[in-house]
Amino acid sequence: MLTVTVDGIPLHYRDVGQGPCVLLLHGCPLTGSSFDAQVKALSGRYRFIIPDIRGFGESPLGDGPTEMSLIARDALALLDALKIDSIVVGGVSMGGYAAMALLREDAGRVGGLVLMDTQATADDAEGKARREATAQQALESGLEPIAEAMVPKMVAAGMDSPVGREVAAMMRSTTPAGMAAAQRGMGLRPDSKDILARYAGPALIIVGEHDPITPPAKAKEMAGLITGARLEVIPGAAHLPNQEQPERVNAVLDSFLASLQGPNA
Ligand code: MLT
């Protein structure tokens, strides 16, 4: 198991493949293995760096809320440890919020941006209250009721499908404290529209056609803020297209990553 110690916390990560480096940040409450299909299909051409965000998968939880800026700083510390100067940064949902936070912390590091089923806007008061309720529910009742409520929203094929079961298993592997800290951290995130408007590099925005959590309108808003951004709507997917429609997402991702290498790549 690969780990890098940041603030005394041994953070688990995957470092797989050869080629230009791609950092992928997972959603909540998932783990780095949510990108297994991308690694399997594309690691012959790209080097994937995929942390388990603190409080998820094999990475222990730190103190306080898991703020998006903290996830970004953990990822930057990992890149420092691996001596990687420039990288394509991608994130799904919470991982997308963290990717935007990373852009805020160190835009010079980002050679390309992939935002999947996420949004640039902060939570309103109602959204923040919902997050606190979810944090409390996790602490009081564990992840099972949350998985039962969330999987049908996140996966178009529902709980009773191979991908639904895979996502539910990742959710159940999350500790209540890890979930609560991430919910509170997401509630604290700032609006990132300014960050996207300032970003001048290549960008790919992906969204599931039926995503009820961060719907296509949110993806269009992000794409509209970044000059030259490419927007891809994935038919038949909800909130987790990279797991629901991996072949489609892999093709889109591969074509975007290849375009960054120039015509002779
Ligand atoms: C996620 O998938 O990471 C979460 O649904 C994001 C959120 O709650 O905003």
Side-chain angles (χ1 to χ4, degrees), residues 139-179:
L139 294 171
E140 282 159 23
S141 314
L143 268 288
E144 185 58 39
I146 293 177
E148 277 169 28
M150 279 181 102
V151 173
K153 290 190 195 147
M154 288 188 162
V155 176
M159 190 86 155
D160 223 4
S161 63
V163 63
R165 284 191 284 276
E166 180 187 300
V167 168
M170 275 184 222
M171 291 186 179
R172 291 187 190 108
S173 79
T174 304
T175 62
M179 178 63 164

PDB file of all heavy atoms in Angstrom, residues 139-179:
ATOM      1  N   LEU A 139     -23.538  10.056  12.086  1.00  0.00           N
ATOM      2  CA  LEU A 139     -22.988   9.797  13.429  1.00  0.00           C
ATOM      3  C   LEU A 139     -23.956   8.982  14.286  1.00  0.00           C
ATOM      4  O   LEU A 139     -23.546   8.160  15.091  1.00  0.00           O
ATOM      5  CB  LEU A 139     -22.644  11.126  14.121  1.00  0.00           C
ATOM      6  CG  LEU A 139     -21.496  11.910  13.461  1.00  0.00           C
ATOM      7  CD1 LEU A 139     -21.363  13.300  14.072  1.00  0.00           C
ATOM      8  CD2 LEU A 139     -20.167  11.159  13.573  1.00  0.00           C
ATOM      9  N   GLU A 140     -25.256   9.223  14.078  1.00  0.00           N
ATOM     10  CA  GLU A 140     -26.247   8.531  14.920  1.00  0.00           C
ATOM     11  C   GLU A 140     -26.649   7.158  14.379  1.00  0.00           C
ATOM     12  O   GLU A 140     -26.845   6.223  15.138  1.00  0.00           O
ATOM     13  CB  GLU A 140     -27.509   9.398  15.057  1.00  0.00           C
ATOM     14  CG  GLU A 140     -27.321  10.519  16.061  1.00  0.00           C
ATOM     15  CD  GLU A 140     -28.312  11.661  15.853  1.00  0.00           C
ATOM     16  OE1 GLU A 140     -29.383  11.432  15.257  1.00  0.00           O
ATOM     17  OE2 GLU A 140     -27.987  12.792  16.287  1.00  0.00           O
ATOM     18  N   SER A 141     -26.760   7.047  13.049  1.00  0.00           N
ATOM     19  CA  SER A 141     -27.340   5.815  12.481  1.00  0.00           C
ATOM     20  C   SER A 141     -26.409   5.072  11.544  1.00  0.00           C
ATOM     21  O   SER A 141     -26.809   4.061  10.965  1.00  0.00           O
ATOM     22  CB  SER A 141     -28.632   6.151  11.727  1.00  0.00           C
ATOM     23  OG  SER A 141     -29.440   7.009  12.475  1.00  0.00           O
ATOM     24  N   GLY A 142     -25.211   5.593  11.312  1.00  0.00           N
ATOM     25  CA  GLY A 142     -24.284   4.909  10.414  1.00  0.00           C
ATOM     26  C   GLY A 142     -24.592   5.196   8.953  1.00  0.00           C
ATOM     27  O   GLY A 142     -25.461   6.008   8.623  1.00  0.00           O
ATOM     28  N   LEU A 143     -23.900   4.491   8.065  1.00  0.00           N
ATOM     29  CA  LEU A 143     -23.975   4.799   6.634  1.00  0.00           C
ATOM     30  C   LEU A 143     -25.076   4.039   5.889  1.00  0.00           C
ATOM     31  O   LEU A 143     -25.410   4.395   4.764  1.00  0.00           O
ATOM     32  CB  LEU A 143     -22.612   4.511   5.980  1.00  0.00           C
ATOM     33  CG  LEU A 143     -21.605   5.686   5.899  1.00  0.00           C
ATOM     34  CD1 LEU A 143     -22.069   6.706   4.867  1.00  0.00           C
ATOM     35  CD2 LEU A 143     -21.374   6.387   7.228  1.00  0.00           C
ATOM     36  N   GLU A 144     -25.635   3.001   6.494  1.00  0.00           N
ATOM     37  CA  GLU A 144     -26.603   2.177   5.751  1.00  0.00           C
ATOM     38  C   GLU A 144     -27.819   2.983   5.260  1.00  0.00           C
ATOM     39  O   GLU A 144     -28.135   2.962   4.070  1.00  0.00           O
ATOM     40  CB  GLU A 144     -27.015   0.966   6.597  1.00  0.00           C
ATOM     41  CG  GLU A 144     -27.915  -0.020   5.871  1.00  0.00           C
ATOM     42  CD  GLU A 144     -27.288  -0.575   4.584  1.00  0.00           C
ATOM     43  OE1 GLU A 144     -26.073  -0.839   4.561  1.00  0.00           O
ATOM     44  OE2 GLU A 144     -28.036  -0.720   3.596  1.00  0.00           O
ATOM     45  N   PRO A 145     -28.481   3.729   6.176  1.00  0.00           N
ATOM     46  CA  PRO A 145     -29.638   4.491   5.672  1.00  0.00           C
ATOM     47  C   PRO A 145     -29.232   5.542   4.648  1.00  0.00           C
ATOM     48  O   PRO A 145     -30.003   5.855   3.724  1.00  0.00           O
ATOM     49  CB  PRO A 145     -30.230   5.164   6.922  1.00  0.00           C
ATOM     50  CG  PRO A 145     -29.324   4.859   8.058  1.00  0.00           C
ATOM     51  CD  PRO A 145     -28.322   3.831   7.637  1.00  0.00           C
ATOM     52  N   ILE A 146     -28.033   6.065   4.780  1.00  0.00           N
ATOM     53  CA  ILE A 146     -27.555   7.068   3.815  1.00  0.00           C
ATOM     54  C   ILE A 146     -27.320   6.406   2.460  1.00  0.00           C
ATOM     55  O   ILE A 146     -27.706   6.936   1.415  1.00  0.00           O
ATOM     56  CB  ILE A 146     -26.275   7.755   4.355  1.00  0.00           C
ATOM     57  CG1 ILE A 146     -26.648   8.580   5.593  1.00  0.00           C
ATOM     58  CG2 ILE A 146     -25.613   8.607   3.288  1.00  0.00           C
ATOM     59  CD1 ILE A 146     -25.505   9.258   6.294  1.00  0.00           C
ATOM     60  N   ALA A 147     -26.716   5.218   2.488  1.00  0.00           N
ATOM     61  CA  ALA A 147     -26.499   4.488   1.230  1.00  0.00           C
ATOM     62  C   ALA A 147     -27.839   4.205   0.556  1.00  0.00           C
ATOM     63  O   ALA A 147     -27.996   4.393  -0.662  1.00  0.00           O
ATOM     64  CB  ALA A 147     -25.736   3.193   1.495  1.00  0.00           C
ATOM     65  N   GLU A 148     -28.819   3.783   1.340  1.00  0.00           N
ATOM     66  CA  GLU A 148     -30.127   3.449   0.747  1.00  0.00           C
ATOM     67  C   GLU A 148     -30.791   4.671   0.107  1.00  0.00           C
ATOM     68  O   GLU A 148     -31.464   4.560  -0.907  1.00  0.00           O
ATOM     69  CB  GLU A 148     -31.039   2.827   1.799  1.00  0.00           C
ATOM     70  CG  GLU A 148     -30.737   1.356   1.935  1.00  0.00           C
ATOM     71  CD  GLU A 148     -31.393   0.706   3.135  1.00  0.00           C
ATOM     72  OE1 GLU A 148     -32.455   1.193   3.566  1.00  0.00           O
ATOM     73  OE2 GLU A 148     -30.829  -0.287   3.636  1.00  0.00           O
ATOM     74  N   ALA A 149     -30.567   5.835   0.706  1.00  0.00           N
ATOM     75  CA  ALA A 149     -31.160   7.057   0.140  1.00  0.00           C
ATOM     76  C   ALA A 149     -30.335   7.595  -1.032  1.00  0.00           C
ATOM     77  O   ALA A 149     -30.888   8.135  -1.991  1.00  0.00           O
ATOM     78  CB  ALA A 149     -31.279   8.127   1.227  1.00  0.00           C
ATOM     79  N   MET A 150     -29.016   7.470  -0.945  1.00  0.00           N
ATOM     80  CA  MET A 150     -28.158   8.135  -1.932  1.00  0.00           C
ATOM     81  C   MET A 150     -27.946   7.337  -3.211  1.00  0.00           C
ATOM     82  O   MET A 150     -27.876   7.916  -4.301  1.00  0.00           O
ATOM     83  CB  MET A 150     -26.785   8.448  -1.323  1.00  0.00           C
ATOM     84  CG  MET A 150     -26.757   9.701  -0.479  1.00  0.00           C
ATOM     85  SD  MET A 150     -25.088   9.998   0.183  1.00  0.00           S
ATOM     86  CE  MET A 150     -24.507  11.278  -0.911  1.00  0.00           C
ATOM     87  N   VAL A 151     -27.805   6.007  -3.084  1.00  0.00           N
ATOM     88  CA  VAL A 151     -27.456   5.224  -4.281  1.00  0.00           C
ATOM     89  C   VAL A 151     -28.487   5.411  -5.402  1.00  0.00           C
ATOM     90  O   VAL A 151     -28.099   5.632  -6.554  1.00  0.00           O
ATOM     91  CB  VAL A 151     -27.214   3.733  -3.938  1.00  0.00           C
ATOM     92  CG1 VAL A 151     -27.015   2.919  -5.212  1.00  0.00           C
ATOM     93  CG2 VAL A 151     -25.997   3.597  -3.027  1.00  0.00           C
ATOM     94  N   PRO A 152     -29.795   5.368  -5.103  1.00  0.00           N
ATOM     95  CA  PRO A 152     -30.752   5.552  -6.206  1.00  0.00           C
ATOM     96  C   PRO A 152     -30.638   6.915  -6.882  1.00  0.00           C
ATOM     97  O   PRO A 152     -31.007   7.067  -8.053  1.00  0.00           O
ATOM     98  CB  PRO A 152     -32.116   5.413  -5.513  1.00  0.00           C
ATOM     99  CG  PRO A 152     -31.836   4.685  -4.241  1.00  0.00           C
ATOM    100  CD  PRO A 152     -30.455   5.077  -3.823  1.00  0.00           C
ATOM    101  N   LYS A 153     -30.128   7.917  -6.178  1.00  0.00           N
ATOM    102  CA  LYS A 153     -29.932   9.233  -6.814  1.00  0.00           C
ATOM    103  C   LYS A 153     -28.635   9.259  -7.617  1.00  0.00           C
ATOM    104  O   LYS A 153     -28.532   9.925  -8.635  1.00  0.00           O
ATOM    105  CB  LYS A 153     -29.854  10.331  -5.748  1.00  0.00           C
ATOM    106  CG  LYS A 153     -31.163  10.587  -5.059  1.00  0.00           C
ATOM    107  CD  LYS A 153     -31.051  11.849  -4.214  1.00  0.00           C
ATOM    108  CE  LYS A 153     -32.207  11.911  -3.233  1.00  0.00           C
ATOM    109  NZ  LYS A 153     -31.870  12.542  -1.983  1.00  0.00           N
ATOM    110  N   MET A 154     -27.643   8.547  -7.130  1.00  0.00           N
ATOM    111  CA  MET A 154     -26.318   8.634  -7.755  1.00  0.00           C
ATOM    112  C   MET A 154     -26.163   7.723  -8.963  1.00  0.00           C
ATOM    113  O   MET A 154     -25.348   7.994  -9.840  1.00  0.00           O
ATOM    114  CB  MET A 154     -25.250   8.274  -6.725  1.00  0.00           C
ATOM    115  CG  MET A 154     -25.058   9.343  -5.666  1.00  0.00           C
ATOM    116  SD  MET A 154     -23.630   8.901  -4.670  1.00  0.00           S
ATOM    117  CE  MET A 154     -23.246  10.455  -3.882  1.00  0.00           C
ATOM    118  N   VAL A 155     -26.914   6.613  -8.955  1.00  0.00           N
ATOM    119  CA  VAL A 155     -26.735   5.592  -9.995  1.00  0.00           C
ATOM    120  C   VAL A 155     -28.071   5.414 -10.716  1.00  0.00           C
ATOM    121  O   VAL A 155     -29.058   5.011 -10.097  1.00  0.00           O
ATOM    122  CB  VAL A 155     -26.279   4.254  -9.345  1.00  0.00           C
ATOM    123  CG1 VAL A 155     -26.190   3.156 -10.378  1.00  0.00           C
ATOM    124  CG2 VAL A 155     -24.957   4.441  -8.609  1.00  0.00           C
ATOM    125  N   ALA A 156     -28.091   5.702 -12.018  1.00  0.00           N
ATOM    126  CA  ALA A 156     -29.360   5.644 -12.754  1.00  0.00           C
ATOM    127  C   ALA A 156     -29.973   4.245 -12.695  1.00  0.00           C
ATOM    128  O   ALA A 156     -31.196   4.100 -12.630  1.00  0.00           O
ATOM    129  CB  ALA A 156     -29.144   6.084 -14.201  1.00  0.00           C
ATOM    130  N   ALA A 157     -29.135   3.205 -12.677  1.00  0.00           N
ATOM    131  CA  ALA A 157     -29.651   1.827 -12.675  1.00  0.00           C
ATOM    132  C   ALA A 157     -30.114   1.388 -11.280  1.00  0.00           C
ATOM    133  O   ALA A 157     -30.669   0.296 -11.130  1.00  0.00           O
ATOM    134  CB  ALA A 157     -28.582   0.872 -13.202  1.00  0.00           C
ATOM    135  N   GLY A 158     -29.904   2.225 -10.257  1.00  0.00           N
ATOM    136  CA  GLY A 158     -30.419   1.935  -8.920  1.00  0.00           C
ATOM    137  C   GLY A 158     -29.534   1.007  -8.111  1.00  0.00           C
ATOM    138  O   GLY A 158     -28.484   0.546  -8.545  1.00  0.00           O
ATOM    139  N   MET A 159     -30.014   0.734  -6.900  1.00  0.00           N
ATOM    140  CA  MET A 159     -29.278  -0.040  -5.902  1.00  0.00           C
ATOM    141  C   MET A 159     -29.100  -1.492  -6.348  1.00  0.00           C
ATOM    142  O   MET A 159     -28.137  -2.145  -5.992  1.00  0.00           O
ATOM    143  CB  MET A 159     -30.101   0.024  -4.604  1.00  0.00           C
ATOM    144  CG  MET A 159     -29.454  -0.504  -3.384  1.00  0.00           C
ATOM    145  SD  MET A 159     -28.455   0.804  -2.632  1.00  0.00           S
ATOM    146  CE  MET A 159     -28.415   0.283  -0.941  1.00  0.00           C
ATOM    147  N   ASP A 160     -30.087  -1.958  -7.131  1.00  0.00           N
ATOM    148  CA  ASP A 160     -30.103  -3.373  -7.478  1.00  0.00           C
ATOM    149  C   ASP A 160     -29.417  -3.634  -8.805  1.00  0.00           C
ATOM    150  O   ASP A 160     -29.937  -4.334  -9.659  1.00  0.00           O
ATOM    151  CB  ASP A 160     -31.562  -3.832  -7.538  1.00  0.00           C
ATOM    152  CG  ASP A 160     -31.712  -5.172  -6.876  1.00  0.00           C
ATOM    153  OD1 ASP A 160     -30.701  -5.660  -6.318  1.00  0.00           O
ATOM    154  OD2 ASP A 160     -32.823  -5.718  -6.927  1.00  0.00           O
ATOM    155  N   SER A 161     -28.267  -3.027  -8.997  1.00  0.00           N
ATOM    156  CA  SER A 161     -27.508  -3.219 -10.232  1.00  0.00           C
ATOM    157  C   SER A 161     -26.064  -3.436  -9.801  1.00  0.00           C
ATOM    158  O   SER A 161     -25.686  -3.073  -8.686  1.00  0.00           O
ATOM    159  CB  SER A 161     -27.611  -1.959 -11.102  1.00  0.00           C
ATOM    160  OG  SER A 161     -27.012  -0.856 -10.434  1.00  0.00           O
ATOM    161  N   PRO A 162     -25.228  -4.014 -10.667  1.00  0.00           N
ATOM    162  CA  PRO A 162     -23.833  -4.228 -10.255  1.00  0.00           C
ATOM    163  C   PRO A 162     -23.167  -2.932  -9.804  1.00  0.00           C
ATOM    164  O   PRO A 162     -22.506  -2.900  -8.758  1.00  0.00           O
ATOM    165  CB  PRO A 162     -23.180  -4.790 -11.522  1.00  0.00           C
ATOM    166  CG  PRO A 162     -24.313  -5.433 -12.270  1.00  0.00           C
ATOM    167  CD  PRO A 162     -25.534  -4.610 -11.966  1.00  0.00           C
ATOM    168  N   VAL A 163     -23.366  -1.837 -10.544  1.00  0.00           N
ATOM    169  CA  VAL A 163     -22.699  -0.589 -10.145  1.00  0.00           C
ATOM    170  C   VAL A 163     -23.320  -0.023  -8.869  1.00  0.00           C
ATOM    171  O   VAL A 163     -22.619   0.518  -8.006  1.00  0.00           O
ATOM    172  CB  VAL A 163     -22.648   0.441 -11.307  1.00  0.00           C
ATOM    173  CG1 VAL A 163     -24.005   0.876 -11.734  1.00  0.00           C
ATOM    174  CG2 VAL A 163     -21.814   1.656 -10.953  1.00  0.00           C
ATOM    175  N   GLY A 164     -24.634  -0.191  -8.711  1.00  0.00           N
ATOM    176  CA  GLY A 164     -25.312   0.252  -7.487  1.00  0.00           C
ATOM    177  C   GLY A 164     -24.759  -0.475  -6.267  1.00  0.00           C
ATOM    178  O   GLY A 164     -24.499   0.129  -5.219  1.00  0.00           O
ATOM    179  N   ARG A 165     -24.544  -1.776  -6.421  1.00  0.00           N
ATOM    180  CA  ARG A 165     -24.007  -2.565  -5.298  1.00  0.00           C
ATOM    181  C   ARG A 165     -22.567  -2.156  -4.997  1.00  0.00           C
ATOM    182  O   ARG A 165     -22.167  -2.075  -3.835  1.00  0.00           O
ATOM    183  CB  ARG A 165     -24.099  -4.058  -5.621  1.00  0.00           C
ATOM    184  CG  ARG A 165     -25.533  -4.587  -5.473  1.00  0.00           C
ATOM    185  CD  ARG A 165     -25.585  -6.112  -5.530  1.00  0.00           C
ATOM    186  NE  ARG A 165     -25.445  -6.613  -6.887  1.00  0.00           N
ATOM    187  CZ  ARG A 165     -26.445  -6.724  -7.766  1.00  0.00           C
ATOM    188  NH1 ARG A 165     -27.669  -6.377  -7.428  1.00  0.00           N
ATOM    189  NH2 ARG A 165     -26.243  -7.198  -8.969  1.00  0.00           N
ATOM    190  N   GLU A 166     -21.811  -1.878  -6.061  1.00  0.00           N
ATOM    191  CA  GLU A 166     -20.410  -1.464  -5.882  1.00  0.00           C
ATOM    192  C   GLU A 166     -20.334  -0.119  -5.132  1.00  0.00           C
ATOM    193  O   GLU A 166     -19.557   0.049  -4.182  1.00  0.00           O
ATOM    194  CB  GLU A 166     -19.791  -1.333  -7.279  1.00  0.00           C
ATOM    195  CG  GLU A 166     -18.355  -0.930  -7.367  1.00  0.00           C
ATOM    196  CD  GLU A 166     -17.983  -0.697  -8.845  1.00  0.00           C
ATOM    197  OE1 GLU A 166     -18.091  -1.627  -9.660  1.00  0.00           O
ATOM    198  OE2 GLU A 166     -17.606   0.445  -9.168  1.00  0.00           O
ATOM    199  N   VAL A 167     -21.192   0.807  -5.536  1.00  0.00           N
ATOM    200  CA  VAL A 167     -21.206   2.127  -4.892  1.00  0.00           C
ATOM    201  C   VAL A 167     -21.681   1.996  -3.439  1.00  0.00           C
ATOM    202  O   VAL A 167     -21.106   2.597  -2.526  1.00  0.00           O
ATOM    203  CB  VAL A 167     -22.103   3.102  -5.715  1.00  0.00           C
ATOM    204  CG1 VAL A 167     -22.382   4.381  -4.947  1.00  0.00           C
ATOM    205  CG2 VAL A 167     -21.443   3.413  -7.055  1.00  0.00           C
ATOM    206  N   ALA A 168     -22.708   1.184  -3.212  1.00  0.00           N
ATOM    207  CA  ALA A 168     -23.216   0.992  -1.845  1.00  0.00           C
ATOM    208  C   ALA A 168     -22.130   0.397  -0.945  1.00  0.00           C
ATOM    209  O   ALA A 168     -21.985   0.798   0.225  1.00  0.00           O
ATOM    210  CB  ALA A 168     -24.455   0.096  -1.863  1.00  0.00           C
ATOM    211  N   ALA A 169     -21.342  -0.529  -1.494  1.00  0.00           N
ATOM    212  CA  ALA A 169     -20.275  -1.151  -0.684  1.00  0.00           C
ATOM    213  C   ALA A 169     -19.227  -0.102  -0.301  1.00  0.00           C
ATOM    214  O   ALA A 169     -18.734  -0.097   0.837  1.00  0.00           O
ATOM    215  CB  ALA A 169     -19.626  -2.294  -1.464  1.00  0.00           C
ATOM    216  N   MET A 170     -18.909   0.802  -1.231  1.00  0.00           N
ATOM    217  CA  MET A 170     -17.946   1.874  -0.893  1.00  0.00           C
ATOM    218  C   MET A 170     -18.513   2.774   0.199  1.00  0.00           C
ATOM    219  O   MET A 170     -17.807   3.196   1.108  1.00  0.00           O
ATOM    220  CB  MET A 170     -17.647   2.728  -2.126  1.00  0.00           C
ATOM    221  CG  MET A 170     -16.566   2.163  -2.993  1.00  0.00           C
ATOM    222  SD  MET A 170     -16.218   3.289  -4.351  1.00  0.00           S
ATOM    223  CE  MET A 170     -16.073   2.077  -5.637  1.00  0.00           C
ATOM    224  N   MET A 171     -19.803   3.066   0.087  1.00  0.00           N
ATOM    225  CA  MET A 171     -20.434   3.930   1.106  1.00  0.00           C
ATOM    226  C   MET A 171     -20.387   3.261   2.474  1.00  0.00           C
ATOM    227  O   MET A 171     -20.055   3.897   3.470  1.00  0.00           O
ATOM    228  CB  MET A 171     -21.883   4.219   0.727  1.00  0.00           C
ATOM    229  CG  MET A 171     -21.991   5.097  -0.486  1.00  0.00           C
ATOM    230  SD  MET A 171     -23.705   5.547  -0.766  1.00  0.00           S
ATOM    231  CE  MET A 171     -23.505   6.578  -2.201  1.00  0.00           C
ATOM    232  N   ARG A 172     -20.711   1.953   2.493  1.00  0.00           N
ATOM    233  CA  ARG A 172     -20.723   1.241   3.778  1.00  0.00           C
ATOM    234  C   ARG A 172     -19.330   1.154   4.379  1.00  0.00           C
ATOM    235  O   ARG A 172     -19.183   0.984   5.590  1.00  0.00           O
ATOM    236  CB  ARG A 172     -21.283  -0.170   3.595  1.00  0.00           C
ATOM    237  CG  ARG A 172     -22.750  -0.177   3.275  1.00  0.00           C
ATOM    238  CD  ARG A 172     -23.293  -1.611   3.264  1.00  0.00           C
ATOM    239  NE  ARG A 172     -24.636  -1.603   2.724  1.00  0.00           N
ATOM    240  CZ  ARG A 172     -24.971  -2.082   1.523  1.00  0.00           C
ATOM    241  NH1 ARG A 172     -24.071  -2.656   0.747  1.00  0.00           N
ATOM    242  NH2 ARG A 172     -26.217  -2.019   1.117  1.00  0.00           N
ATOM    243  N   SER A 173     -18.287   1.231   3.537  1.00  0.00           N
ATOM    244  CA  SER A 173     -16.917   1.140   4.062  1.00  0.00           C
ATOM    245  C   SER A 173     -16.472   2.466   4.690  1.00  0.00           C
ATOM    246  O   SER A 173     -15.419   2.546   5.306  1.00  0.00           O
ATOM    247  CB  SER A 173     -15.944   0.748   2.938  1.00  0.00           C
ATOM    248  OG  SER A 173     -15.633   1.884   2.135  1.00  0.00           O
ATOM    249  N   THR A 174     -17.282   3.516   4.514  1.00  0.00           N
ATOM    250  CA  THR A 174     -16.920   4.839   5.053  1.00  0.00           C
ATOM    251  C   THR A 174     -17.331   4.915   6.522  1.00  0.00           C
ATOM    252  O   THR A 174     -18.426   4.488   6.885  1.00  0.00           O
ATOM    253  CB  THR A 174     -17.655   5.942   4.243  1.00  0.00           C
ATOM    254  OG1 THR A 174     -17.316   5.776   2.869  1.00  0.00           O
ATOM    255  CG2 THR A 174     -17.264   7.326   4.698  1.00  0.00           C
ATOM    256  N   THR A 175     -16.476   5.480   7.363  1.00  0.00           N
ATOM    257  CA  THR A 175     -16.846   5.601   8.774  1.00  0.00           C
ATOM    258  C   THR A 175     -17.821   6.768   8.954  1.00  0.00           C
ATOM    259  O   THR A 175     -17.769   7.755   8.201  1.00  0.00           O
ATOM    260  CB  THR A 175     -15.605   5.874   9.654  1.00  0.00           C
ATOM    261  OG1 THR A 175     -15.034   7.123   9.238  1.00  0.00           O
ATOM    262  CG2 THR A 175     -14.572   4.773   9.539  1.00  0.00           C
ATOM    263  N   PRO A 176     -18.690   6.683   9.964  1.00  0.00           N
ATOM    264  CA  PRO A 176     -19.596   7.809  10.231  1.00  0.00           C
ATOM    265  C   PRO A 176     -18.835   9.117  10.450  1.00  0.00           C
ATOM    266  O   PRO A 176     -19.234  10.172   9.940  1.00  0.00           O
ATOM    267  CB  PRO A 176     -20.324   7.367  11.509  1.00  0.00           C
ATOM    268  CG  PRO A 176     -20.332   5.867  11.418  1.00  0.00           C
ATOM    269  CD  PRO A 176     -19.010   5.501  10.800  1.00  0.00           C
ATOM    270  N   ALA A 177     -17.709   9.051  11.153  1.00  0.00           N
ATOM    271  CA  ALA A 177     -16.947  10.287  11.403  1.00  0.00           C
ATOM    272  C   ALA A 177     -16.366  10.852  10.104  1.00  0.00           C
ATOM    273  O   ALA A 177     -16.342  12.071   9.902  1.00  0.00           O
ATOM    274  CB  ALA A 177     -15.824  10.006  12.401  1.00  0.00           C
ATOM    275  N   GLY A 178     -15.922   9.965   9.205  1.00  0.00           N
ATOM    276  CA  GLY A 178     -15.388  10.416   7.915  1.00  0.00           C
ATOM    277  C   GLY A 178     -16.464  11.112   7.097  1.00  0.00           C
ATOM    278  O   GLY A 178     -16.230  12.158   6.473  1.00  0.00           O
ATOM    279  N   MET A 179     -17.661  10.516   7.096  1.00  0.00           N
ATOM    280  CA  MET A 179     -18.781  11.104   6.348  1.00  0.00           C
ATOM    281  C   MET A 179     -19.183  12.455   6.942  1.00  0.00           C
ATOM    282  O   MET A 179     -19.402  13.435   6.224  1.00  0.00           O
ATOM    283  CB  MET A 179     -19.968  10.127   6.392  1.00  0.00           C
ATOM    284  CG  MET A 179     -21.220  10.618   5.710  1.00  0.00           C
ATOM    285  SD  MET A 179     -20.920  10.865   3.942  1.00  0.00           S
ATOM    286  CE  MET A 179     -22.608  10.940   3.329  1.00  0.00           C
TER     287      MET A 179
END
